[in-house]
Amino acid sequence: MDALEQLIEILPDWFGANRRDLPWRRNREPYHVWLSEIMLQQTRVEAVKGYYARFLAALPDVPALASADPELLHKLWEGLGYYARVRNLQKAAQVIMNEHGGVFPRDYHAVRDLPGIGDYTAGAICSICFDQPTPALDGNVLRVLTRLSADSRCTDEPAVKRELRDRLAARYPAKGAGTLTQALMELGATVCLPNGEPKCGTCPAASFCAAHAAGSWQAYPVRAKKKARRPERLTVFVLSCGGALALRKRKNSGLLAGLWEFPNVPGRLEPQEALDQAAAWGLRPRGLEKQLERTHIFTHVQWEMRCYYVNCAERAAGFTWANEAALDEQYALPTAFRMFRP
Ligand code: SF4
C-alpha cells in the first residue's frame, strides 16, 4: 500500500472527528456547493461566510440567479474581488435554465462546460454532490499530495497536475467520494497549512509522510516563479457635493469591468493639478480637504493611488451622485475605491 492509499484509508475517520461545521457543508445541494466553491477561490473561509449567507438569502436558487439584475450581483459580491466570478455564475445559471431544464447537470463534462467552472470546481461538485470519483485538486490538496510523497515536480505544470489527479482518481473509493474530497481539502486547510509550519504532530499522515520524515515540508509544493506585478499610478477623486459623492461606471471590459468607481485619472497629480482637473469636470471645487496614498494589489497589476478629497459647489452632470445610503445598498464599489469612502 503506498502513502496515498494509506491516507485515503484513514482520512474519512479523521474527517468525521475533525471537520469544521461550515454553512455550505450542511447539505449537498449543488447550487450551495457550487456557490461556496466559487466564493472560496482566492478568499478565506471566514470572509466568505457572510457573503454566502447574504447571497443565498437574496438569490436562493438557480432560477433566481439566472434572472438577477447584474447590479444586484455586483453588490452581493462587493469586496470579494475577482468579479468575473459572479458574472460567470449568472451565465452558468442561465445555461442550466436554458439547456438543462433548470436542473443542475450531474455529468462531469456537462458541469465542466458551464461558464466559470474549471477542473477543480467540476471535480468538487461532482464528488461532493453526486459521489462521483472526480478529485478536486486545489492548492490545499496539491500541498498534501506533494508533501506526502516528497514530489518535487512543478505543480503549475498542467501535465503534473493531470498526473496527480489521475493517480488520485484511480484510488477513489466506490463509495464516499464526496467525503474523501472534503477530507483532503480539510487536511490541507487546517493541518498541512499553506503558510507557516504544518501541524505534523496532529496529522494522521505523519507516520508515512515523506516530507515529514525528511523534515523537508518547506520544499513542497514546487511552484513556478510569479511575474512581478506591473505598477500603475492613479489619482483618485472623492468629490463631495451637498452630502453626495460622485461615482462613475467602469467600462464593460477589463479590470473591475462594469463596477462603480470614484472618478480617477492616470498618473499622480499634484494638489493644484487635482483642483484644475476637478474644475475641468465642471465641479467648481471649493478646495482640497485631505490627501491619502494607498496601494491596491490585483493579480497582475499594482495600483499606486493618490486620493484627493475635494468639496465641490456644483454636481456635474457627467457623474452619478450617491448619498451614504445609496453607497451602502445600491452601488457596488470595489475595495480599490471603497477604501477611500469617507
Ligand atoms: S505529516 Fe506534516 S507535511 Fe506531511 S501531510 Fe501531514 S501535515 Fe503535511
Side-chain angles (χ1 to χ4, degrees):
M1 202 188 268
D2 66 17
L4 182 53
E5 286 165 338
Q6 289 187 64
L7 180 63
I8 287 174
E9 194 169 278
I10 59 175
L11 214 44
D13 283 347
W14 174 85
F15 185 55
N18 293 282
R19 60 183 287 165
R20 290 168 296 174
D21 176 29
L22 301 175
W24 42 89
R25 285 197 179 143
R26 296 191 183 138
N27 60 55
R28 293 187 167 201
E29 163 62 40
Y31 180 56
H32 297 174
V33 172
W34 171 39
L35 177 64
S36 70
E37 289 298 341
I38 299 293
M39 282 187 167
L40 286 163
Q41 292 166 12
Q42 323 277 352
T43 313
R44 290 174 305 106
V45 163
E46 284 310 312
V48 163
K49 285 179 181 172
Y51 282 96
Y52 177 80
R54 277 193 299 278
F55 199 99
L56 277 187
L59 305 171
D61 50 29
V62 172
L65 171 58
S67 59
D69 180 345
E71 290 283 331
L72 171 64
L73 288 181
H74 280 156
K75 190 66 190 166
L76 290 168
W77 213 262
E78 184 188 48
L80 263 182
Y82 301 95
Y83 291 83
R85 292 184 292 172
V86 72
R87 291 192 289 274
N88 279 328
L89 270 173
Q90 182 171 52
K91 283 186 204 155
Q94 289 164 348
V95 172
I96 294 169
M97 296 307 294
N98 297 333
E99 297 177 19
H100 299 283
V103 178
F104 205 98
R106 296 175 72 97
D107 173 67
Y108 175 86
H109 297 287
V111 176
R112 176 71 179 78
D113 280 347
L114 293 170
I117 293 193
D119 292 331
Y120 164 77
T121 310
I125 292 170
C126 289
S127 61
I128 295 171
C129 306
F130 310 129
D131 240 3
Q132 295 171 15
T134 52
L137 257 67
D138 67 351
N140 288 326
V141 178
L142 282 170
R143 190 167 52 256
V144 171
L145 295 186
T146 53
R147 286 178 176 172
L148 197 62
S149 57
D151 187 336
S152 54
R153 294 174 298 167
C154 175
T155 55
D156 290 310
E157 289 288 336
V160 172
K161 230 183 220 177
R162 206 165 34 243
E163 193 276 329
L164 288 169
R165 185 181 306 112
D166 290 348
R167 191 138 55 92
L168 189 52
R171 288 162 171 78
Y172 255 58
K175 272 193 173 166
T179 302
L180 177 57
T181 295
Q182 293 180 83
L184 279 166
M185 292 176 185
E186 191 78 344
L187 188 69
T190 63
V191 179
C192 197
L193 302 172
N195 304 309
E197 193 166 345
K199 300 178 182 171
C200 301
T202 59
C203 179
S207 63
F208 49 85
C209 172
H212 178 52
S216 60
W217 57 269
Q218 276 154 310
Y220 314 101
V222 174
R223 303 289 313 269
K225 275 214 173 69
K226 280 188 186 151
K227 275 200 211 147
R229 292 189 182 88
R230 187 177 74 252
E232 281 182 7
R233 288 179 164 187
L234 216 61
T235 300
V236 177
F237 292 82
V238 174
L239 305 163
S240 60
C241 184
L245 300 180
L247 297 180
R248 268 191 333 203
K249 195 149 196 205
R250 292 179 65 82
K251 56 182 194 291
N252 279 328
S253 60
L255 200 57
L256 305 176
L259 293 160
W260 292 88
E261 65 177 4
F262 288 132
N264 56 85
V265 295
R268 187 169 286 181
L269 301 190
E270 294 304 320
Q272 187 54 50
E273 294 173 312
L275 284 171
D276 293 346
Q277 176 63 66
W281 278 326
L283 295 159
R284 289 207 286 133
R286 289 191 176 114
L288 299 179
E289 291 178 335
K290 64 174 176 173
Q291 175 183 335
L292 288 178
E293 309 273 338
R294 293 281 185 275
T295 298
H296 189 77
I297 288 171
F298 298 95
T299 309
H300 304 296
V301 181
Q302 175 167 316
W303 277 0
E304 290 162 5
M305 296 182 283
R306 170 174 291 174
C307 179
Y308 289 108
Y309 292 73
V310 188
N311 188 272
C312 305
E314 183 89 25
R315 290 191 185 186
F319 300 112
T320 295
W321 293 87
N323 62 19
E324 206 159 319
L327 275 166
D328 286 343
E329 289 152 27
Q330 190 179 344
Y331 297 103
L333 200 60
T335 306
F337 296 103
R338 198 158 42 104
M339 63 183 168
F340 295 117
R341 255 188 84 174

